[in-house]
Amino acid sequence: LMRWVWSLAHAHIGLAVCNMWSSSTEAFSYVLDVLKVLSPVSRMEEDPYSLLDEIIKAFHASVPFQSVSLISVEPKHRTAAPTIEEVKSAVVSGKGGLCYTLNSFMKALLEALGYKIHHCTSDIGSSD
């Protein structure tokens, strides 16, 4: 049951991630100004793979994976999935979040930069 609920929540977020960034300029600004990755626009043209490696490393170093924001909310007030605005706000503010927040944000960011991205579902449950 938990896998099914997570998959539905993940699918809900995935439908809206394309609307997270108003333009590629905004996404490149996030990479430069927040992640502190230098010259992302020219590097995207010259060597997108090394740029991708640096974006991922910078993202993991600056945006926390955390569950405090989830467990601090009473279960009856938790939603199945955060809105796309909540995802963007949590990451841009530096608050971070769970895997579906971070992965949805990163998917939208990379797509806005020009990468072709696909979500892959997974879970941490047992193989039973």
Side-chain angles (χ1 to χ4, degrees):
L1 177 64
M2 197 59 192
R3 290 180 194 170
W4 179 77
V5 170
W6 184 85
S7 293
L8 283 179
H10 197 122
H12 168 73
I13 293 172
L15 294 174
V17 292
C18 58
N19 298 325
M20 184 180 295
W21 299 97
S22 61
S23 67
S24 62
T25 302
E26 181 189 12
F28 277 110
S29 292
Y30 174 81
V31 171
L32 178 64
D33 300 335
V34 178
L35 297 182
K36 306 297 185 204
V37 173
L38 300 177
S39 307
V41 176
S42 62
R43 291 179 62 200
M44 184 64 181
E45 295 171 5
E46 296 164 8
D47 189 1
Y49 296 109
S50 70
L51 175 62
L52 178 61
D53 284 343
E54 191 170 344
I55 290 170
I56 291 170
K57 288 175 188 173
F59 186 79
H60 284 294
S62 62
V63 181
F65 174 85
Q66 54 88 6
S67 61
V68 174
S69 56
L70 176 68
I71 61 175
S72 67
V73 177
E74 290 183 48
K76 65 182 178 183
H77 295 296
R78 294 179 189 161
T79 60
T83 66
I84 206 61
E85 293 81 15
E86 291 169 333
V87 167
K88 187 175 182 182
S89 174
V91 176
V92 170
S93 71
K95 184 170 99 174
L98 293 170
C99 57
Y100 50 81
T101 298
L102 302 182
N103 292 340
S104 295
F105 180 90
M106 183 59 83
K107 180 181 188 294
L109 174 65
L110 294 176
E111 286 177 337
L113 297 174
Y115 292 96
K116 293 183 189 227
I117 306 297
H118 302 280
H119 271 307
C120 297
T121 59
S122 64
D123 65 36
I124 57 170
S126 68
S127 60
D128 296 343

